[in-house]
Amino acid sequence: MHAVVAIKQVPDTTNVRIDPDTGTLIREGVPAIVNPYDVHALEMAVRLKERFGGQVTVLTMGPPKAAEALIECVEQGADRAILLSDRKFGGADTLATSYVLAGAIEAIRAEGPVDLLLFGKQAIDGDTAQVGPGVATRLGVPLITYAIEIEAFDPLARTAIVHRRTELGVEVLETALPALLTVEKEIAAIARAPLPNLVRAARYRPEVWDAAQPVAFDAAKLGIKGSPTVVGRAFTPAAKAPGEQIEVAALGLPAVIERALTRLEAAGVLAAGPPSAGGPGGGP
Amino acid sequence: MGADLRFDAIVVGGGPAGVAAAITMAKGGLDCVLIERGRFAGAKNLFGGVLYTHALADILPDYWSRQPPFERPVTEQGYWLLSPDSAMRILHKGECYKGEPAAAYTALRARFDPWFAEQAVREGVLVIPKTTVTEVRRDDQGRAIGVATDRPEGEVSAPIVVLAEGVNNLLTQQLGLARGDLPPRYVALAVKEVIGLPSAEIEARFGLAGPQEGVAIDIFGDATLGLPGTAFLYTDTKAVSIGVGLLLEELVHHNLRPYEVLARFKAHPAVRPYLAGGTPLEYGAHLIPEQGYDRMPQLVADGVLVVGDAACMVDALHREGTNLAMTAGRLAGETALEAHREQDFSARALRAYRRRLAESFVLKDLKQYRRMTDLLDSTPDLLGTYVNFINEAAQRYFTAHGIPKREMEAEILGLLRERRSFLGVARDLMRLLRGMRG
Amino acid sequence: MSGAPELTAETGPRRIWVLIEQQGGRVHPVSWELLGAARRLAVELDADRAIVEAVLLGQDVGAIAQEALRYGARRVHLIEDPVLADYRNLPYAVGISRLVQAHRPEIFLIGATSLGRDLASAVATRVETGLTADCTELTIDPKLQILAATRPTFGGNLMATILCRRHRPQMATVRPRVLPLPEPLPPAEIRGETRGEVVRAPLGLVEAEVPLRRLRLIPGAERVDLEYAEVIVAGGRGLGDRDGLPLLRQLAEALGGVLAVSRPLVDAGWVSVEHQVGQTGKTVRPKLYVAAGISGAVQHRVGMSGAGFILAINKDPHAPIFQIADLGIVGDLYEVVPALIDDLRARRSGGDDGR
Ligand SMILES: Cc1cc2nc3c(=O)[nH]c(=O)nc-3n(C[C@H](O)[C@H](O)[C@H](O)COP(=O)(O)OP(=O)(O)OC[C@H]3O[C@@H](n4cnc5c(N)ncnc54)[C@H](O)[C@@H]3O)c2cc1C
Ligand SMILES: Cc1cc2nc3c(=O)[nH]c(=O)nc-3n(C[C@H](O)[C@H](O)[C@H](O)COP(=O)(O)OP(=O)(O)OC[C@H]3O[C@@H](n4cnc5c(N)ncnc54)[C@H](O)[C@@H]3O)c2cc1C
Ligand SMILES: Nc1ncnc2c1ncn2[C@@H]1O[C@H](COP(=O)(O)O)[C@@H](O)[C@H]1O
């Protein structure tokens, strides 16, 4: 069994702060982490490896610093890590990113068969959820987004049964392999990695691939050049003018409630009450 | 255990002490693993902020070319003595502090520690993060043979273990080298905030010529409500570091919450203007072991060396710790190299570490100030009393009241006498002198 | 076809497309919201030549095509095929991409639902164009005369306006409920217009070519229709304790609304994520949103700032939620909410008595 997991190093957006004066993002000091969904994708791959044998390859496109994220993946159980890093890749939108990742995966498949491609549901820096579907489309492999469970996996028959969450419920899909899954966190709970993995990771150096080697990418499809979308403007969400503010401590509770109900009534939002009123103390 | 889990030495803790030891051993050719519980070395570490370069140079003579992530050189230092509404400031600035590299720099541990650990990696140390050492493994004769960690398949082995675990020295205690938990009267709790400001703003406020200048100020008196303890205000590149530290016992005794003490200090009229308009970037608390020379843990056991805060190597009076930690780490590393050469890891052989320390400033300084904690401890209001007196005296001195100067001088002396008898003053001075002379 | 030098034909219609999302014959209302937005964009873009068209795939969905006309589509491109009975990425993406290549729309809008997000990227990749995900605002840039799609990034801390200058169509997915639901046109009006038409196209793909089968659907255990609720009573960490939830449920009941929460309550496991409003939860657009014990972090606000009337109850007079509240009550929710419930009930029973 060979699983390839695409991971991305992202700023920990729970720690992102906005400079109140300039309205810009303070990027400095924001720790970089492996995109949380990708960690679960990798865990799923490692579980499959434990069950069926084989190997797990992790892949990322990013700056040299992203090697840190790959090392963390080796700690978690990846066998091989590839960093796609080149100035020419910089500024890529999801179309250009999926072009590079798909090209790299083709190259990996040329070395030997790949059974499963695992992606995170979305990257928390951009929240686009577009790269996985883009790569599946380019590779012409079946796509299952929002996967929450692999019910069955048969590398010999080359089929799998996967659960996917949608607004309507959970779809149970049977797919041919290789398939590309983008995963929710439920796909696999993270286990604490054994120490030998960390020792191996501390010694590991990821392979670095650039725009020319070992895949000769088409420069026109890379980075900013290959990205149809551009950011026109970035700004912090505008605040709306504040409304009325009343204090219980100043007016007393009854007056506040009275005022509230008057305002709600005036806004025409009280009518929505259910016709069958009456909690306890309601009508006779 | 596979061969790849067997090492020549294990270092527990990726602070200045542990990294210094690891680098020294790796440079000497040992296969060394450093285990750090944080997400990376320095992830959770915190200190006030002044790093002395002499100790670093002894470990990495070419450290400057490795571009350490310092904040600002310390080109001006001094003391502020705060009364509740005024401040006496003593500052020393001079060309003597310039020159590159400088003798001291402000630094943030979240940046410095990862850099220092990276240097260890460059020297061949295997750094394992996110892993807590839970136990030092010993053979039936009590000799250390490795450590256990909180991970599955989590044991590694080595004939020598350097404990650089910092102030919470659980492993040192486990081995019986330190007696139980730190007593609250010998451990200070410090809280610190890093407040972001544009560098030009910092330079304007502190009167600095540019990013090549920086200030380190230690503050006494009202900052700690007159209780024994210190406060500090240091300039970083684009931030100021501000903090207060008080003995745990005082905090408990006076029912103080450290962050409230810090908030009060930040609001002091002499302090507030330096922080105005800044954005809080970082906030943290950390213990400082101040038990002093006489209560230090044992430094060696069979196959074990204890370094840095784990061994209580802090000179609180001069806010020095990292340099003691690094020097101790280096000396421990040198001792480990020697032990490997001789293939003798017994406590007896390792006692060379203690001898080396005794010849260095580390134990000499700790010995000299062995009485300071007790001095402050026995006269907890000493600091507040004198600091307030100095401020009031200064106020009289600097304002013309239309009274003859002789009368003013008498008045000032009177102010002192109100607070403390001449005999008391004399006794305080004597004890202070003794505390300083060792 | 990417980067075609001629972006806008000199003559002929300028098409703005909307995907009509249906599953099992049920249309996702975001489709109508998008048709509403498309009509507005058409006027902004080119009142003479811009036209709104819908794209509809499925099996036996002719009635939905008619409905799309009522929501303002001038033409519906319809592909009906048994292969399309259940949604699957490949046949849908193939069908739609062929339509795009044949008709070259300028703008193509899709709902940011799990279906829409699955599909949009596959289509954008096939036709090699730009796609902006999860937009909260759509306008036409007045200078460039192209779509300006605004979306939150970096965990909602920042908004970014994305442009797609040289590739067509300009694609965007849009969250349900960030745009208002338009009123359908009266049937007479469509019949009067000769231009309302349904154009059928073949799929050109057979079942054997699809490497994926749907075995079954396990219906969602709990369906919370927050997105389309008229009244929402939301609680935050200020509740302090999960025992506070029943109190909010009572208020929700008294107001005829449903319960929602901020993320910490979901993280704490008090309620399921279905109830969460905000950046990583749902976007809601009720007539009334009551926020009790919610500070109003930006990630929460992006999910509810489109509410008609916001009533905030918070102890802290400086809580950011008050910046967007129409009425802010500074006080303890455990005092204010029970009093509100009592008064609401009294009013109602008072009304009953009067009858
Ligand atoms: C507020 C404050 C201000 C200070 N100001 C200064 C100053 O201005 N100048 C100065 O020189 N010194 C200062 N110090 C003192 C200085 O920070 C310490 O003396 C120094 O950091 C000690 O280094 P260390 O390596 O011994 O310990 P630490 O820096 O504490 O490092 C210990 C490391 O061990 C790790 N660890 C602990 N237990 C385990 C385990 N079981 N398994 C794995 N890893 C473990 C920890 O995560 C940590 O990284 C200050 C201290 C404080 C708190
Ligand atoms: C990437 C990312 C995505 C996120 N997505 C979401 C999301 O989708 N939805 C979401 O909600 N959050 C989200 N968050 C979290 C968000 O940043 C806030 O942490 C969260 O919204 C805070 O919830 P809260 O207002 O309930 O809690 P708090 O911020 O803790 O506020 C509690 C409030 O209750 C008040 N209070 C306390 N006691 C009382 C009382 N007795 N009576 C009245 N008032 C009282 C307090 O004054 C305070 O204002 C996200 C964060 C990140 C980083
Ligand atoms: N630069 C990248 N390198 C590798 N994988 C990526 C990259 N960007 C996105 N991905 C993968 O695609 C998923 C979805 O990302 P996104 O479409 O950016 O939300 C992520 O969870 C990753 O698995």
Side-chain angles (χ1 to χ4, degrees):
Chain A
M1 196 278 323
H2 186 184
V4 175
V5 186
I7 66 110
K8 185 178 188 188
Q9 189 180 45
V10 293
D12 186 352
T13 47
T14 52
N15 273 306
V16 170
R17 291 179 306 261
I18 298 290
D19 186 321
D21 301 328
T22 61
T24 54
L25 223 56
I26 305 175
R27 287 167 206 255
E28 199 173 322
V30 179
I33 56 172
V34 181
N35 182 39
Y37 298 102
D38 306 354
V39 176
H40 293 266
L42 173 59
E43 188 72 26
M44 187 67 242
V46 172
R47 301 270 175 92
L48 290 173
K49 176 181 80 169
E50 280 166 4
R51 230 175 93 203
F52 298 100
Q55 64 163 327
V56 174
T57 301
V58 283
L59 184 66
T60 193
M61 180 184 91
K65 187 177 145 57
E68 300 164 0
L70 291 175
I71 302 281
E72 286 191 47
C73 294
V74 175
E75 291 175 354
Q76 208 189 322
D79 300 282
R80 178 185 183 193
I82 299 169
L83 170 62
L84 290 147
S85 197
D86 195 307
R87 295 268 275 281
K88 296 200 184 83
F89 297 152
D93 72 358
T94 56
L95 191 74
T97 303
S98 67
Y99 169 67
V100 172
L101 294 179
I105 293 169
E106 299 270 26
I108 296 168
R109 285 172 80 183
E111 294 171 16
V114 168
D115 305 285
L116 191 62
L117 303 165
L118 287 162
F119 283 61
K121 156 174 104 163
Q122 63 195 49
I124 61 165
D125 56 351
D127 284 331
T128 73
Q130 287 171 191
V131 171
V135 172
T137 303
R138 288 179 185 277
L139 295 174
V141 301
L143 166 72
I144 299 177
T145 49
Y146 309 104
I148 56 170
E149 187 189 331
I150 297 183
E151 180 189 302
F153 188 82
D154 189 339
L156 294 177
R158 304 191 70 68
T159 59
I161 297 175
V162 178
H163 293 207
R164 136 171 224 267
R165 196 174 38 229
T166 73
E167 287 92 344
L168 300 183
V170 174
E171 278 184 343
V172 181
L173 302 165
E174 185 181 43
T175 180
L177 295 179
L180 188 148
L181 271 51
T182 79
V183 307
E184 297 270 8
K185 291 183 179 174
E186 294 102 301
I187 194 85
I190 308 298
R192 194 154 169 77
L195 190 62
N197 279 10
L198 279 95
V199 171
R200 179 165 178 272
R203 297 196 169 111
Y204 189 86
R205 295 286 158 269
E207 288 168 44
V208 181
W209 293 10
D210 62 20
Q213 286 289 339
V215 183
F217 289 105
D218 174 357
K221 294 187 169 186
L222 297 179
I224 296 183
K225 246 194 204 163
S227 296
T229 60
V230 290
V231 177
R233 192 165 82 93
F235 55 98
T236 38
K240 108 176 184 192
E244 185 187 2
Q245 191 163 336
I246 50 180
E247 302 207 14
V248 174
L251 302 179
L253 191 57
V256 163
I257 301 298
E258 181 60 38
R259 179 75 193 140
L261 290 175
T262 311
R263 286 289 312 269
L264 293 184
E265 198 136 60
V269 291
L270 274 193
S276 63
Chain B
M1 189 176 305
D4 47 354
L5 295 178
R6 223 171 281 140
F7 296 88
D8 294 332
I10 297 165
V11 177
V12 182
V19 174
I23 289 177
T24 307
M25 292 189 282
K27 281 188 156 201
L30 296 189
D31 185 12
C32 174
V33 62
L34 183 153
I35 303 176
E36 163 61 43
R37 68 175 168 199
R39 219 172 85 71
F40 52 87
K44 289 186 208 147
N45 296 347
L46 174 148
F47 85 142
V50 182
L51 222 136
Y52 305 89
T53 49
H54 68 91
L56 192 53
D58 286 341
I59 297 153
L60 292 171
D62 63 341
Y63 78 91
W64 190 245
S65 66
R66 300 177 184 225
Q67 298 172 319
F70 293 145
E71 296 293 315
R72 285 171 187 263
V74 180
T75 56
E76 180 173 345
Q77 5 199 358
Y79 296 116
W80 287 2
L81 306 176
L82 289 193
S83 78
D85 59 1
S86 66
M88 172 69 110
R89 301 174 176 178
I90 307 158
L91 290 170
H92 187 230
K93 177 172 195 159
E95 294 303 304
C96 56
Y97 291 116
K98 299 189 177 165
E100 206 164 77
Y105 288 87
T106 53
L108 298 172
R109 294 287 295 278
R111 297 183 63 210
F112 178 81
D113 285 13
W115 170 84
F116 200 30
E118 185 54 36
Q119 305 316 306
V121 171
R122 272 177 60 178
E123 299 300 332
V125 176
L126 207 65
V127 175
I128 307 286
K130 292 173 278 194
T131 304
T132 302
V133 173
T134 51
E135 193 190 332
V136 176
R137 286 274 196 247
R138 288 181 289 175
D139 65 11
D140 44 19
Q141 281 152 52
R143 291 181 301 217
I145 51 167
V147 300
T149 66
D150 63 343
R151 287 198 174 268
E153 303 163 56
E155 297 204 5
V156 289
S157 69
I160 196 153
V161 178
V162 178
L163 294 181
E165 53 180 335
V167 59
N168 283 315
N169 55 358
L170 299 178
L171 300 171
T172 310
Q173 292 172 34
Q174 239 178 46
L175 292 178
L177 302 177
R179 268 160 302 157
D181 246 348
L182 287 178
R185 62 187 282 205
Y186 298 122
V187 54
L189 178 63
V191 287
K192 162 177 167 170
E193 227 175 279
V194 180
I195 297 174
L197 282 168
S199 48
E201 192 60 44
I202 294 173
E203 285 141 26
R205 290 183 192 185
F206 287 87
L208 306 173
Q212 74 284 6
E213 295 193 358
V215 202
I217 303 158
D218 291 282
I219 300 163
F220 301 97
D222 190 59
T224 53
L225 296 97
L227 297 169
T230 53
F232 57 85
L233 181 62
Y234 304 147
T235 54
D236 302 317
T237 311
K238 287 182 188 170
V240 294
S241 285
I242 183 163
V244 290
L246 279 165
L247 289 180
L248 265 186
E249 194 176 61
E250 298 290 340
L251 288 170
V252 174
H253 182 73
H254 296 275
N255 195 15
L256 295 169
R257 266 183 282 262
Y259 57 88
E260 285 170 5
V261 180
L262 179 56
R264 184 177 170 282
F265 170 44
K266 280 166 58 188
H268 190 282
V271 176
R272 204 171 46 217
Y274 290 93
L275 313 174
T279 8
L281 300 180
E282 226 181 83
Y283 182 93
H286 205 277
L287 296 176
I288 309 176
E290 299 194 352
Q291 59 264 56
Y293 183 80
D294 297 313
R295 289 172 215 89
M296 283 174 76
Q298 275 166 255
L299 301 179
V300 296
D302 286 323
V304 177
L305 296 159
V306 189
V307 297
D309 275 12
C312 168
M313 296 172 182
V314 169
D315 171 359
L317 186 66
H318 298 90
R319 46 135 156 99
E320 290 179 29
T322 52
N323 52 336
L324 281 75
M326 285 188 200
T327 303
R330 173 173 60 84
L331 298 178
E334 287 170 4
T335 308
L337 287 169
E338 201 172 81
H340 264 281
R341 274 195 298 274
E342 308 292 329
Q343 282 299 300
D344 181 355
F345 306 100
S346 67
R348 208 172 48 80
L350 296 184
R351 256 192 280 282
Y353 163 55
R354 195 185 162 101
R355 279 196 298 281
R356 287 187 164 95
L357 272 175
E359 285 157 21
S360 76
F361 76 99
V362 176
L363 281 191
K364 284 185 178 154
D365 284 358
L366 288 173
K367 201 166 174 180
Q368 179 174 350
Y369 303 118
R370 68 204 293 176
R371 278 194 262 274
M372 282 309 279
T373 312
D374 290 323
L375 166 73
L376 291 174
D377 199 44
S378 59
T379 43
D381 49 354
L382 193 73
L383 214 60
T385 308
Y386 285 102
V387 167
N388 285 344
F389 160 69
I390 288 168
N391 272 281
E392 256 183 73
Q395 189 209 331
R396 305 270 158 136
Y397 185 84
F398 288 119
T399 34
H401 286 294
I403 53 167
K405 292 289 179 263
R406 174 146 313 174
E407 273 175 41
M408 178 197 72
E409 281 157 22
E411 226 177 81
I412 290 177
L413 278 180
L415 284 175
L416 179 60
R417 216 168 315 154
E418 277 168 26
R419 296 177 154 89
R420 206 143 176 89
S421 70
F422 272 132
L423 224 65
V425 173
R427 209 167 41 230
D428 292 344
L429 276 176
M430 282 298 294
R431 288 167 59 175
L432 186 66
L433 225 55
R434 236 187 304 134
M436 302 283 288
R437 302 264 312 274
Chain C
M1 72 162 292
S2 71
E6 175 209 350
L7 290 176
T8 311
E10 294 297 321
T11 56
R14 303 175 69 178
R15 301 178 207 280
I16 301 181
W17 276 18
V18 169
L19 176 77
I20 307 302
E21 173 179 337
Q22 65 78 26
Q23 293 202 70
R26 276 187 50 189
V27 178
H28 196 295
V30 70
S31 316
W32 309 144
E33 293 162 17
L34 291 177
L35 277 177
R39 277 154 64 186
R40 176 174 53 78
L41 292 176
V43 174
E44 281 180 50
L45 180 66
D46 187 336
D48 297 329
R49 285 167 54 206
I51 63 163
V52 174
E53 300 183 346
V55 177
L56 174 63
L57 279 73
Q59 195 188 8
D60 299 333
V61 289
I64 296 174
Q66 292 306 317
E67 214 177 335
L69 296 176
R70 285 186 58 212
Y71 276 98
R74 296 257 291 274
R75 178 179 294 132
V76 179
H77 297 275
L78 174 65
I79 306 180
E80 283 188 300
D81 194 300
V83 174
L84 301 172
D86 291 331
Y87 169 76
R88 283 173 300 173
N89 182 274
L90 182 73
Y92 272 69
V94 166
I96 292 173
S97 303
R98 287 189 184 148
L99 288 177
V100 168
Q101 269 146 354
H103 301 281
R104 298 178 169 253
E106 254 181 80
I107 295 173
F108 190 3
L109 306 177
I110 295 177
T113 57
S114 58
L115 185 156
R117 296 182 81 174
D118 184 274
L119 180 59
S121 180
V123 172
T125 307
R126 280 174 185 275
V127 303
E128 293 198 46
T129 190
L131 167 63
T132 306
D134 238 1
C135 301
T136 54
E137 198 189 319
L138 299 172
T139 54
I140 298 295
D141 184 297
K143 224 172 65 224
L144 301 168
Q145 282 296 301
I146 60 175
L147 181 70
T150 299
R151 64 183 307 261
T153 57
F154 280 98
N157 290 294
L158 204 62
M159 303 298 287
T161 301
I162 313 286
L163 307 172
C164 176
R165 291 171 192 267
R166 292 192 313 273
H167 294 65
R168 296 295 178 267
Q170 308 162 69
M171 290 182 63
T173 62
V174 183
R175 286 189 142 202
R177 294 313 265 156
V178 303
L179 302 168
L181 188 66
E183 292 294 327
L185 306 172
E189 206 164 306
I190 322 165
R191 250 178 274 124
E193 302 246 3
T194 47
R195 285 167 297 181
E197 58 172 340
V198 176
V199 185
R200 286 175 182 274
L203 175 61
L205 190 98
V206 294
E207 182 61 41
E209 293 174 75
V210 186
L212 190 115
R213 279 193 307 136
R214 178 149 117 185
L215 302 180
R216 58 186 192 273
L217 179 76
I218 307 165
E222 184 183 16
R223 275 187 55 90
V224 187
D225 260 334
L226 272 191
E227 280 112 321
Y228 294 90
E230 299 266 273
V231 174
I232 291 176
V233 176
R237 186 144 52 189
L239 284 178
D241 200 299
R242 74 192 307 163
D243 299 342
L245 283 173
L247 182 65
L248 289 194
R249 279 215 176 84
Q250 283 173 35
L251 179 59
E253 210 167 89
L255 287 166
V258 295
L259 180 78
V261 296
S262 67
R263 177 155 119 177
L265 307 205
V266 174
D267 289 345
W270 296 1
V271 279
S272 76
V273 69
E274 297 274 285
H275 292 270
Q276 181 186 321
V277 167
Q279 167 82 16
T280 41
K282 290 178 172 162
T283 304
V284 298
R285 210 172 232 283
K287 285 189 181 152
L288 171 62
Y289 191 90
V290 182
I294 292 180
S295 62
V298 52
Q299 293 87 358
H300 187 80
R301 291 198 324 237
V302 295
M304 45 67 78
S305 55
F309 190 97
I310 298 172
L311 168 64
I313 305 164
N314 197 304
K315 275 205 296 212
D316 173 7
H318 304 295
I321 190 76
F322 288 131
Q323 290 163 16
I324 58 162
D326 296 279
L327 179 65
I329 300 180
V330 182
D332 188 335
L333 74 93
Y334 283 104
E335 237 181 277
V336 176
V337 172
L340 263 178
I341 296 171
D342 283 351
D343 263 42
L344 285 165
R345 282 180 182 158
R347 278 187 175 220
R348 192 158 292 136
S349 56
D352 287 350
D353 291 349
R355 230 183 280 154

